[in-house]
Amino acid sequence: MKRLSTLFALLLALCATAMAQLRYHEATQFKVIGQPVPDEPRVYTRMPDSLKGKVRDALWNLGQNTAGMAVRFRSDARQIGVRWKNHSVFNMNHMTATGIRGLDLYCLQDKGQWVFVNSAKPQGRLVNKSKIIENLDGKEHEYMLYLPLYEGIDSLEIGVEEGATIDKPRVALPAENKPVVWYGTSITQGGCASRPGMAATNIVERRLNRVVVNLGFSGNGKLDPEVAEIMAKHDAGLYIMDMLPNCTSDLINEKIERFYSILRKAHPDTPILLVENPIFPPTRFNSEMRKTISEKNATLAKFYKKFRAAGDKNVYFVSSADMIGTDNEGTVDGIHFTDLGFERCADYMTPILKRHLRK
């Protein structure tokens, strides 16, 4: 009797192990959204190979980060896991590893709302494996898996249990037609969100249910014309130029007209939003920072007026006043946004984008 009980326990353990094992499927066979260069053979990149050696090395390297990109799929799985390889094990002292090089899963609800499921946390090595969720209801659901903000992906597989189905999405959301193309700095890229889904571009994407292409380059939003050329390849619903934290007034004077002209020549009527430098919390106390930001914002306003005076009725100026609140609580280091800062930024920007997208 004791022997039978032992055998039965072993069988139960084997069954449980079999149920826990996942079959992994290459993610590129589903649908990758948010690619700045959608026709590029390398899927997980924001810079075409043709620009290697032609743009600044720092810009090229940041272009290999997957900020703003996501995999869309559907599945009736009861458990979902991922297996992925990062380019490197990059760390920063003011941003979580999950935000830098982890993954974030969302599920589409009946009213078109995307709801957070769980994150895939990296384990401090190149190749990572994580079970994101288990004990699901076994019904088919639409999912969106956000990719890392500050790291690149060499490979990605999505795992479901034996017998479960996983396939391309049935629902075309977020809509890819007329995307929002958002150019900027480390803040645009997602620094310092705790997880990928909390970057402002990704929050706005879910609220609009429209793809937002993330062209934020940490410390390198310096009006490189090659980036404008990438942006111009998109038949966008609108373009956002949000690069002031990385610019000086001299750099704006030198480069903004060429950058703007590349977009406007390719798309004469598409709205272009010029966004002021955020009013960072230290400006309340740091008079030199306050003066610098005021000067940059004034320089941007000068060009906005110039473009409008030249007859462009589809260029707009976005004030940064109250963008992240007035309580000084929206950043991790006085500059880069926390999740609270990103949420406030999304609250601020979403109605502005809706208004111009309707136009």
Side-chain angles (χ1 to χ4, degrees):
M1 186 69 178
K2 184 177 180 180
R3 187 177 178 184
L4 285 173
S5 297
T6 302
L7 286 171
F8 185 64
L10 284 170
L11 283 171
L12 284 176
L14 286 171
C15 288
T17 301
M19 286 180 66
Q21 289 178 343
L22 302 180
R23 291 186 60 192
Y24 286 90
H25 306 261
E26 169 58 46
T28 53
Q29 69 180 291
F30 306 123
K31 188 170 189 61
V32 180
I33 63 172
Q35 296 162 278
V37 279
D39 296 327
E40 186 69 14
R42 284 192 307 118
V43 175
Y44 304 125
T45 183
R46 299 188 298 155
M47 278 274 172
D49 285 345
S50 60
L51 289 181
K52 189 171 185 179
K54 297 180 181 179
V55 297
R56 295 178 295 107
D57 287 346
L59 187 61
W60 169 262
N61 292 334
L62 289 162
Q64 307 317 304
N65 298 165
T66 50
M69 297 170 64
V71 178
R72 281 280 289 108
F73 66 97
R74 60 183 166 92
S75 179
D76 61 4
R78 292 185 178 275
Q79 46 190 326
I80 298 173
V82 286
R83 187 165 61 191
W84 78 102
K85 183 180 179 184
N86 292 129
H87 286 340
S88 67
V89 185
F90 178 59
N91 287 297
M92 293 189 284
N93 63 7
H94 62 336
M95 186 171 176
T96 68
T98 304
I100 294 170
R101 46 195 165 84
L103 306 165
D104 229 1
L105 187 65
Y106 281 75
C107 182
L108 185 65
Q109 304 299 287
D110 291 339
K111 294 183 179 180
Q113 179 188 14
W114 291 97
V115 174
F116 173 64
V117 176
N118 206 355
S119 297
K121 297 177 285 295
Q123 284 91 46
R125 49 183 180 263
L126 288 178
V127 179
N128 299 275
K129 189 176 180 181
S130 175
K131 184 178 286 187
I132 297 178
I133 190 70
E134 56 188 354
N135 301 317
L136 293 163
D137 59 15
K139 298 177 182 178
E140 184 176 278
H141 297 285
E142 298 274 341
Y143 294 100
M144 178 159 57
L145 181 68
Y146 281 116
L147 305 190
L149 296 172
Y150 263 77
E151 190 50 90
I153 289 278
D154 283 331
S155 62
L156 172 63
E157 299 169 292
I158 301 172
V160 296
E161 76 273 12
E162 186 74 39
T165 62
I166 180 170
D167 210 336
K168 293 180 179 179
R170 297 185 194 274
V171 180
L173 291 176
E176 294 182 275
N177 186 44
K178 298 285 186 180
V180 173
V181 181
W182 197 324
Y183 170 61
T185 67
S186 53
I187 298 170
T188 304
Q189 185 170 340
C192 291
S194 65
R195 52 184 177 82
M198 290 309 296
T201 56
N202 291 339
I203 296 172
V204 169
E205 178 174 80
R206 295 192 301 276
R207 291 183 180 179
L208 297 177
N209 247 330
R210 183 188 299 239
V211 166
V212 177
V213 175
N214 185 317
L215 282 167
F217 300 100
S218 183
N220 284 274
K222 297 183 177 181
L223 292 166
D224 295 85
E226 296 86 356
V227 179
E229 297 284 0
I230 293 173
M231 295 172 72
K233 292 183 186 299
H234 289 271
D235 181 18
L238 60 83
Y239 299 106
I240 302 174
M241 292 174 60
D242 187 12
M243 65 286 153
L244 256 60
N246 289 165
C247 294
T248 61
S249 290
D250 287 344
L251 188 65
I252 299 166
N253 282 318
E254 177 188 350
K255 290 190 169 185
I256 194 171
E257 287 189 270
R258 183 182 178 191
F259 195 102
Y260 158 86
S261 296
I262 290 170
L263 296 179
R264 187 47 82 222
K265 182 178 178 181
H267 303 280
D269 301 317
T270 303
I272 298 175
L273 274 56
L274 305 177
V275 183
E276 280 191 324
N277 198 116
I279 308 303
F280 295 133
T283 59
R284 186 169 182 171
F285 306 98
N286 186 327
S287 59
E288 193 60 35
M289 177 186 274
R290 186 165 62 247
K291 178 183 175 185
T292 298
I293 289 177
S294 295
E295 288 175 351
K296 289 195 292 184
N297 287 344
T299 304
L300 185 69
K302 176 187 71 176
F303 281 101
Y304 162 70
K305 291 173 184 175
K306 182 176 180 178
F307 300 151
R308 294 286 289 194
D312 189 348
K313 303 304 181 187
N314 291 307
V315 62
Y316 303 94
F317 191 81
V318 179
S319 168
S320 64
D322 301 334
M323 179 182 284
I324 55 172
T326 58
D327 57 5
N328 274 23
E329 296 290 1
T331 72
V332 67
D333 57 0
I335 294 175
H336 298 93
F337 296 176
T338 58
D339 291 355
L340 173 64
F342 280 125
E343 192 81 28
R344 288 175 174 178
C345 177
D347 289 343
Y348 186 89
M349 292 295 291
T350 299
I352 296 172
L353 302 190
K354 282 182 176 180
R355 183 165 66 250
H356 292 299
L357 286 167
R358 281 199 296 269
K359 292 179 182 179

